[in-house]
Amino acid sequence: MKSKLWILFKNITVNNYKFNKKFSSSNIPKTIFNIILALLVSVVVIAYSALYSYLATSFAKEYNLEQYIPMLFYLVTQFFIFMFSIYRVKSMLFDSSDNDMLFSMPLKPQTILASRMLTLLSVNYVLTILIYAPSLFIYGMVSQITIAYILGAVISVIFLPFIPTVLSSIVGYIIAFVSSKVNSKKIIETIVTFIMFILVFVGVSQIQSFGTIFINNVETIDMVLNNILIFPGLLFKAMYNSNILALIAYIVLNIILFFVFCLILSKGYKNIINRLKEIKKVKKKGEVKFEKTNDITITLIKKEFRRYISIPVYVVNTFFGMILLILFAGSTIFIDKTTIINELFNTSQDAQMGLTIFPFIIMVIAFTMLMSNTAGSSISLEGKNLWILKTLPVDIKKVLKSKVLFNILVILPISIISLVIVFFTFNLTLTELLIGILFEILISIFVGEFGIIINLKYPKINYINETQVVKQSLSSFLCVMLPMVVIMVMPIIYFIASYTISINVFVMIICGILLLINALFYLLINTWGVKKFNKL
Amino acid sequence: MLKIENLTKKYGDKSAIDNLNLEVQDGEIFGFIGHNGAGKTTTIKCMVGILEFDNGNIYINGNSIKDEPLKCKKDIAYIPDNPDIYENLTGISYLNFVADIFEIDKKTREERINKYAEAFEIKNELQDLISSYSHGMKQKLVIISALIHTPKLLILDEPFVGLDPKASFTLKEIMKEMTKEGAAIFFSSHVLEVVEKLCDKIGIIKEGKLITYGTVEEVKGNESLEEVFLELIKDEK
């Protein structure tokens, strides 16, 4: 008889990844594009990982420490898995639309939870293969390896995601538990998730110093592996000392931890899911507030705003850039500007400050604004409610315009405030401030219009939960990644151009290009965009 | 088959169901009616084990849903008001999934799926993705999935919404056939004519309280069910 856990896992996976979808000639180009894009991203990540592990292994070899490099990548990969899993936990474990169906079936809550944990785990194997596996291969190339190493390497790829998946699930569980206890669930969830992400962001920024500590404290590494990092410690013994007992202990402990976690957390699982669905009831009857009549565009923007704040993952994903920007601007008030300049440019020449900081500020602003694309998911998020907009007596141009305007409202005010703060803290010139504001206005329009166009081209209307749209859709990926590639190239172009033109002229040229692109996008949205929207 | 004792379910301080008691015997069809927000779906969700409740107990075939949920769930089938199912599975994959969960062998599931898919005229569409189905087709699929394991208690929440007249007729016939074989049926509906014709017993719920309960004749007397219902749910001001 088939295990119920397997039946559930198989069907959830088939449903999530649409394995049943038949290929038709119309979706072949899209499928090929998706495969090429996935392969391209994978190759880039694997190349980066291989390069870093090669450099690290070569460096460590000088100190006879190369055997620790796969362990270092093991821990780094676990950290990344933990980080990427936190936002997925809420949607995969608690917000699934199949909750009612599954809980009415003869299934134990721990089976339902375990099937979802396995689904989460299966996604994390992608990161394991992209980040961790190259380091094992590189070590194998530069050192003499044994059968025990190969066996341990294969086993470690299988079990590496277990602990970070469990840890991120515990964090997700805590967020869900806290949110389920209060009335303002969405707000609490957004705040707690933001705090988690900021902590993780701080953690990522410390990875470089972690590597330095690692190299400088050779004598304590074994102690840490044996007493604190027990799981990688056991793996280490198995791989390098051919200790089969350690390998068995590593496997058994990982499996026990995973299933014990499922068993413990399944106790309050159903209650948390149901409490999260409860909506705050109006206490007094007859307290109906009627709003004054608004302009259609304002009404549509208000609708966008209400939906925006009701989807925590949407806010976290598209507002994180703004949080970083305001933190950066705020930090310039309290931290000595010379220190920031020295950190950034590795120079102590105060005289260069005024000349070098403006391009950097422009880069930070562009980077954080491009991270904040709300429009790129806004059409997909209409989902099953798309019919409402389509049947309203409203010009579709206005609908699309409201989504662009909302994106501008989310990013432009904070960007301008941040620029004004750094204008004072870094003593920028008035010309730089004005050019900066013009740049921000143009880039905010670009972000909104680009998001709408990409989302119209690659909509994801039939989604299982909002996280799929906001974090995992092609549209949201392209909306952030394509402009980011351009931004990465900009410093190189500026570096070449800086011999002939000043930064102000360079930014003005960029503004001119943006103006042209924005005008073209505007025309595109009002013609192709409207037609495409009507066809959805 | 079904016994609800002093059922109370609260959301915060507000009681969604307040001390509800009722019984449905083997071979009976029970109609559960009430206006929107009266507590019908909450009661049903407590019965099928989706929601936990604060007080009382629910017994299905003598087993408590609180203490022995798996035993109870093996005896019941639930058809929700909204057929929210795996959109990216094909119809047949979904039916196989449910059959697997209820541990139905290949031969039996094949017989039952064929029988009900033909009755609901959906057999040719079973290989298609559920996302391509209309609301009514999804509803038909959920009904078939509920019948695969021949439940002893069939619980339906607004089952006729979205069904075409022929499918509605087929479902009513299947319900009658099931009760002849000893199964019990509990369903909520706003279609009072159907409730009046189909049910043996009726319960009317208002603001979480069962205000009337008994056989159809006992509840409606010489009036129509619609008149009785409208009179009972009238606000006392």
Side-chain angles (χ1 to χ4, degrees):
Chain A
M1 192 175 290
K2 282 186 259 181
S3 138
K4 292 205 174 159
L5 177 59
W6 168 245
I7 296 166
L8 259 185
F9 173 66
K10 187 184 84 177
N11 283 282
I12 290 172
T13 307
V14 169
N15 184 56
N16 285 353
Y17 297 103
K18 301 181 182 178
F19 290 144
N20 274 327
K21 198 170 179 181
K22 286 173 194 158
F23 288 103
S24 65
S25 54
S26 62
N27 62 22
I28 285 177
K30 198 179 164 188
T31 311
I32 293 172
F33 175 75
N34 289 347
I35 292 170
I36 291 173
L37 189 72
L39 283 175
L40 197 69
V41 173
S42 305
V43 167
V44 170
V45 177
I46 288 175
Y48 258 101
S49 175
L51 177 70
Y52 273 107
S53 57
Y54 178 74
L55 293 174
T57 310
S58 307
F59 177 70
K61 207 169 183 185
E62 291 173 24
Y63 302 89
N64 285 326
L65 292 171
E66 70 272 24
Q67 73 272 29
Y68 292 104
I69 298 304
M71 286 303 115
L72 185 65
F73 273 76
Y74 182 94
L75 295 172
V76 168
T77 311
Q78 285 197 324
F79 182 76
F80 275 109
I81 289 176
F82 172 74
M83 192 174 85
F84 284 111
S85 295
I86 291 176
Y87 69 82
R88 267 191 270 119
V89 166
K90 173 81 183 357
S91 64
M92 288 179 96
L93 298 193
F94 301 97
D95 289 342
S96 296
S97 56
D98 57 358
N99 282 330
D100 281 3
M101 179 181 76
L102 295 182
F103 280 111
S104 70
M105 286 179 165
L107 292 164
K108 291 176 184 166
Q110 55 264 40
T111 312
I112 299 172
L113 180 65
S115 70
R116 287 171 178 173
M117 290 279 294
L118 284 178
T119 314
L120 191 61
L121 197 64
S122 63
V123 180
N124 289 338
Y125 281 116
V126 177
L127 278 177
T128 308
I129 289 162
L130 295 183
I131 304 173
Y132 175 59
S135 73
L136 292 169
F137 192 70
I138 294 290
Y139 176 80
M141 279 173 62
V142 299
S143 305
Q144 285 214 327
I145 52 168
T146 60
I147 297 288
Y149 175 84
I150 296 168
L151 186 66
V154 173
I155 298 285
S156 67
V157 169
I158 297 168
F159 290 100
L160 181 146
F162 274 49
I163 288 187
T165 305
V166 166
L167 288 178
S168 60
S169 300
I170 291 172
V171 173
Y173 206 91
I174 293 167
I175 294 174
F177 182 76
V178 173
S179 310
S180 76
K181 292 282 174 196
V182 293
N183 279 332
S184 315
K185 295 175 176 55
K186 304 280 184 189
I187 296 169
I188 295 293
E189 191 188 325
T190 309
I191 292 169
V192 176
T193 314
F194 261 128
I195 293 169
M196 291 305 304
F197 268 82
I198 288 167
L199 289 176
V200 166
F201 189 77
V202 171
V204 171
S205 65
Q206 298 303 312
I207 280 182
Q208 206 174 351
S209 51
F210 175 70
T212 316
I213 295 165
F214 186 78
I215 294 297
N216 292 336
N217 295 279
V218 182
E219 67 281 359
T220 57
I221 297 171
D222 284 327
M223 189 275 288
V224 171
L225 282 175
N226 286 327
N227 300 310
I228 300 169
L229 302 168
I230 298 165
F231 287 76
L234 286 168
L235 182 66
F236 193 84
K237 276 183 198 161
M239 284 169 81
Y240 300 111
N241 304 339
S242 303
N243 187 335
I244 194 77
L245 281 178
L247 188 66
I248 293 168
Y250 172 78
I251 295 168
V252 171
L253 281 175
N254 267 300
I255 293 172
I256 288 176
L257 180 89
F258 188 80
F259 284 98
V260 164
F261 167 80
C262 290
L263 197 67
I264 294 170
L265 291 196
S266 66
K267 295 292 173 199
Y269 186 49
K270 192 165 73 177
N271 261 345
I272 290 180
I273 287 175
N274 285 321
R275 287 185 76 109
L276 283 170
K277 279 197 271 184
E278 284 175 21
I279 294 158
K280 192 180 173 187
K281 305 270 179 190
V282 179
K283 280 180 184 166
K284 289 177 194 168
K285 285 186 179 175
E287 271 188 1
V288 183
K289 263 188 174 179
F290 293 100
E291 293 180 357
K292 65 178 170 63
T293 311
N294 281 316
D295 170 72
I296 290 172
T297 308
I298 292 172
T299 307
L300 290 169
I301 291 174
K302 275 184 166 180
K303 178 197 84 76
E304 290 294 316
F305 173 72
R306 286 191 190 116
R307 189 187 54 192
Y308 185 65
I309 57 167
S310 69
I311 308 173
V313 69
Y314 193 20
V315 180
V316 169
N317 204 45
T318 57
F319 204 67
F320 193 59
M322 289 298 103
I323 297 270
L324 290 181
L325 183 59
I326 205 82
L327 283 177
F328 165 73
S331 68
T332 63
I333 300 170
F334 304 105
I335 302 170
D336 179 33
K337 57 194 171 191
T338 324
T339 316
I340 297 174
I341 298 291
N342 291 345
E343 281 286 323
L344 290 172
F345 303 106
N346 206 16
T347 171
S348 58
Q349 294 171 346
D350 283 8
Q352 284 188 4
M353 187 177 70
L355 293 172
T356 51
I357 198 68
F358 187 57
F360 172 75
I361 289 167
I362 287 292
M363 276 289 287
V364 170
I365 287 170
F367 188 80
T368 51
M369 286 177 87
L370 288 167
M371 274 174 79
S372 313
N373 198 316
T374 62
S377 308
S378 64
I379 293 167
S380 298
L381 284 170
E382 296 293 341
K384 287 174 183 168
N385 299 326
L386 196 64
W387 66 271
I388 300 174
L389 290 177
K390 282 186 158 189
T391 53
L392 285 175
V394 177
D395 187 354
I396 296 302
K397 285 178 195 168
K398 277 192 177 173
V399 172
L400 300 178
K401 190 172 87 179
S402 69
K403 292 177 184 294
V404 175
L405 284 173
F406 177 71
N407 203 153
I408 294 171
L409 283 172
V410 169
I411 60 177
L412 190 58
I414 293 175
S415 308
I416 291 178
I417 292 167
S418 303
L419 184 63
V420 171
I421 293 172
V422 293
F423 165 72
F424 287 110
T425 52
F426 283 114
N427 300 323
L428 299 180
T429 64
L430 194 62
T431 316
E432 284 172 334
L433 176 70
L434 294 175
I435 291 173
I437 290 174
L438 177 67
F439 177 75
E440 286 178 331
I441 292 169
L442 289 166
I443 212 153
S444 65
I445 298 168
F446 170 81
V447 169
E449 289 184 339
F450 184 70
I452 288 295
I453 289 168
I454 293 290
N455 201 194
L456 281 168
K457 180 73 185 156
Y458 301 107
K460 191 177 176 67
I461 306 292
N462 295 317
Y463 52 87
I464 295 166
N465 54 52
E466 286 108 352
T467 306
Q468 278 197 337
V469 175
V470 177
K471 294 297 275 186
Q472 295 154 13
S473 69
L474 184 60
S475 172
S476 65
F477 175 77
L478 291 177
C479 280
V480 175
M481 289 316 289
L482 284 184
M484 283 293 174
V485 172
V486 179
I487 284 291
M488 296 297 176
V489 179
M490 278 301 146
I492 303 165
I493 298 172
Y494 171 63
F495 181 74
I496 298 162
S498 63
Y499 291 103
T500 49
I501 54 170
S502 71
I503 178 67
N504 288 356
V505 175
F506 182 76
V507 178
M508 284 303 287
I509 292 169
I510 299 290
C511 285
I513 296 168
L514 276 173
L515 188 67
L516 196 68
I517 293 171
N518 288 347
L520 285 173
F521 279 0
Y522 181 77
L523 289 174
L524 192 65
I525 290 171
N526 284 342
T527 50
W528 171 85
V530 173
K531 278 185 197 160
K532 187 84 176 128
F533 185 88
N534 284 328
K535 279 184 189 167
L536 289 175
Chain B
M1 178 57 66
L2 170 71
K3 190 176 180 189
I4 301 179
E5 273 183 359
N6 308 319
L7 179 70
T8 302
K9 167 74 189 167
K10 288 181 178 174
Y11 290 118
D13 298 332
K14 191 177 180 288
S15 286
I17 308 167
D18 191 3
N19 209 29
L20 190 138
N21 290 281
L22 60 85
E23 264 184 66
V24 183
Q25 304 298 333
D26 294 359
E28 270 183 359
I29 301 182
F30 183 89
F32 198 41
I33 51 181
H35 55 83
N36 295 328
K40 299 186 298 295
T41 300
T42 305
T43 308
I44 288 177
K45 285 190 173 180
C46 289
M47 284 162 56
V48 299
I50 294 172
L51 288 177
E52 286 181 4
F53 39 90
D54 300 282
N55 276 314
N57 215 331
I58 297 170
Y59 298 94
I60 290 159
N61 204 16
N63 299 309
S64 156
I65 189 82
K66 250 185 188 173
D67 306 327
E68 291 177 290
L70 292 191
K71 268 190 183 173
C72 291
K73 287 174 188 179
K74 278 184 180 170
D75 287 337
I76 63 172
Y78 165 56
I79 299 173
D81 53 347
N82 189 16
D84 217 347
I85 47 178
Y86 296 130
E87 296 267 324
N88 297 316
L89 295 188
T90 59
I92 191 69
S93 322
Y94 178 71
L95 294 176
N96 275 321
F97 161 68
V98 178
D100 279 341
I101 296 290
F102 282 94
E103 297 164 9
I104 307 297
D105 63 75
K106 189 172 178 285
K107 193 171 167 259
T108 317
R109 78 172 66 170
E110 209 174 305
E111 271 172 23
R112 288 178 191 163
I113 289 171
N114 278 334
K115 178 184 166 189
Y116 293 118
E118 274 164 17
F120 284 107
E121 298 174 331
I122 198 179
K123 204 176 170 191
N124 293 334
E125 284 79 27
L126 286 183
Q127 296 293 347
D128 296 337
L129 282 179
I130 295 171
S131 54
S132 69
Y133 286 14
S134 67
H135 180 90
M137 282 164 75
K138 284 181 196 167
Q139 186 74 353
K140 288 177 185 178
L141 190 73
V142 175
I143 293 169
I144 298 169
S145 74
L147 302 171
I148 285 180
H149 67 289
T150 49
K152 289 177 184 155
L153 172 63
L154 182 61
I155 299 164
L156 311 96
D157 194 357
E158 300 284 352
F160 301 104
V161 175
L163 289 183
D164 58 56
K166 184 155 186 243
S168 291
F169 176 78
T170 307
L171 177 60
K172 282 182 252 175
E173 291 302 303
I174 289 170
M175 285 162 79
K176 285 177 196 165
E177 189 186 301
M178 284 177 72
T179 50
K180 272 183 200 160
E181 286 163 13
I185 292 171
F186 181 106
F187 79 102
S188 75
S189 181
H190 291 300
V191 191
L192 300 181
E193 293 82 5
V194 173
V195 175
E196 197 170 350
K197 282 182 189 164
L198 202 63
C199 296
D200 303 299
K201 269 189 198 166
I202 298 174
I204 299 179
I205 186 170
K206 183 188 173 188
E207 291 173 1
K209 287 182 180 155
L210 195 67
I211 50 171
T212 303
Y213 165 64
T215 62
V216 177
E217 287 69 31
E218 282 168 358
V219 171
K220 75 182 185 90
N222 294 325
E223 293 176 272
S224 73
L225 184 58
E226 189 177 33
E227 284 167 333
V228 174
F229 177 72
L230 291 174
E231 185 61 33
L232 285 169
I233 64 157
K234 210 184 273 177
D235 265 336
E236 293 142 18
K237 285 178 185 171

